[in-house]
Amino acid sequence: QKEVEQNSGPLSVPEGAIASLNCTYSDRVSQSFFWYRQYSGKSPELIMSIYSNGDKEDGRFTAQLNKASQYVSLLIRDSQPSDSATYLCAVNGGITGTYKYIFGTGTRLKVLA
Amino acid sequence: ETGVTQTPRHLVMGMTNKKSLKCEQHLGHNAMYWYKQSAKKPLELMFVYNFKEQTENNSVPSRFSPECPNSSHLFLHLHTLQPEDSALYLCASSEKLAEYNEQFFGPGTRLTVL
């Protein structure tokens, strides 16, 4: 079983719609969760971190965490073509070490104009 | 710009060459990391440094040799690499080693081994 699992996509949404990106993780004691955006040929850029169950909003982005279900998601409201990128989920603080990020393979998002 | 710089941005080398990658962070962070990103694979952690001391070597082959002279600079020395080592090499930094710490990445070095 993969430690951090994401659907590779592509996930295609029309401009202005809500994009929903999902991530599941296997280490039950994981404590912190991160979403990164990576444009083709570029490095990952931190979008949000979330540490507690529930929702966390930042502009058009909302991260949702459910530790009981070992599930974290990212919602992008009013999606724009410039949001087209690969979104990486990262999990930290599990039994493998408090500083060791485990990344998923990413979900490719395509926002259609 | 995230405050983490890497040079060179692109590197082509033969299997017998020796080269070095450089990373510098201007964020006042104390922890630095090397990652490898290959196509279709998740980011792989290679090395971790905390206050310039190595705290993690993630079973990386000895042809990769890290060096951290201070908390702001990190190097990755490369020698006798293999074609399968071709990848994007990313440096990252965080304020400290802890569960709740955000890592910030540099732009990466695209390495091609011929």
Side-chain angles (χ1 to χ4, degrees):
Chain A
Q1 182 188 4
K2 291 183 184 177
E3 295 180 80
V4 177
E5 200 148 355
Q6 297 180 257
N7 188 319
S8 60
L11 172 67
S12 295
V13 299
E15 184 175 358
I18 296 175
S20 178
L21 304 161
N22 304 316
C23 172
T24 57
Y25 58 95
S26 60
D27 192 340
R28 183 171 296 277
V29 300
S30 299
Q31 295 296 321
S32 52
F33 308 85
F34 307 86
W35 283 101
Y36 287 83
R37 176 174 63 196
Q38 187 172 25
Y39 292 112
S40 180
K42 303 293 186 182
S43 63
E45 173 192 6
L46 180 67
I47 298 175
M48 291 187 72
S49 57
I50 185 167
Y51 308 140
S52 304
N53 280 329
D55 295 359
K56 179 181 178 182
E57 187 175 319
D58 184 358
R60 296 187 296 114
F61 299 98
T62 299
Q64 300 175 316
L65 175 60
N66 184 326
K67 290 185 180 180
S69 300
Q70 295 174 239
Y71 176 95
V72 57
S73 63
L74 180 70
L75 301 178
I76 307 175
R77 288 183 300 281
D78 188 24
S79 296
Q80 301 297 309
S82 58
D83 294 325
S84 298
T86 296
Y87 289 79
L88 305 177
C89 173
V91 175
N92 191 16
I95 58 174
T96 53
T98 59
Y99 47 77
K100 209 165 178 177
Y101 274 34
I102 306 297
F103 281 85
T105 52
T107 297
R108 192 157 66 96
L109 173 66
K110 295 176 69 174
V111 180
L112 308 173
Chain B
E1 189 62 41
T2 64
V4 182
T5 59
Q6 289 186 244
T7 55
R9 298 291 301 275
H10 300 272
L11 178 62
V12 179
M13 60 187 288
M15 289 190 284
T16 59
N17 292 157
K18 289 185 180 181
K19 297 287 184 182
S20 295
L21 310 184
K22 178 183 176 182
C23 174
E24 183 174 0
Q25 59 93 2
H26 311 273
L27 301 170
H29 289 170
N30 297 304
M32 297 186 77
Y33 313 78
W34 278 117
Y35 286 88
K36 175 184 178 182
Q37 187 174 37
S38 305
K40 309 292 186 186
K41 294 176 69 175
L43 271 144
E44 302 171 56
L45 179 65
M46 301 175 71
F47 301 103
V48 180
Y49 279 82
N50 186 36
F51 290 96
K52 75 178 184 179
E53 297 298 321
Q54 187 181 121
T55 58
E56 178 87 14
N57 176 337
N58 201 24
S59 302
V60 180
S62 60
R63 57 186 183 269
F64 295 91
S65 175
E67 178 189 0
C68 189
N70 54 60
S71 292
S72 299
H73 294 85
L74 186 63
F75 296 88
L76 188 63
H77 304 300
L78 316 171
H79 62 99
T80 59
L81 294 191
Q82 305 299 310
E84 59 266 28
D85 297 321
S86 298
L88 180 67
Y89 288 85
L90 292 159
C91 173
S93 72
S94 64
E95 184 178 348
K96 54 187 175 182
L97 286 187
E99 291 174 334
Y100 306 106
N101 77 107
E102 296 173 336
Q103 293 186 14
F104 297 92
F105 286 86
T109 295
R110 174 69 61 185
L111 173 67
T112 302
V113 181
L114 302 176

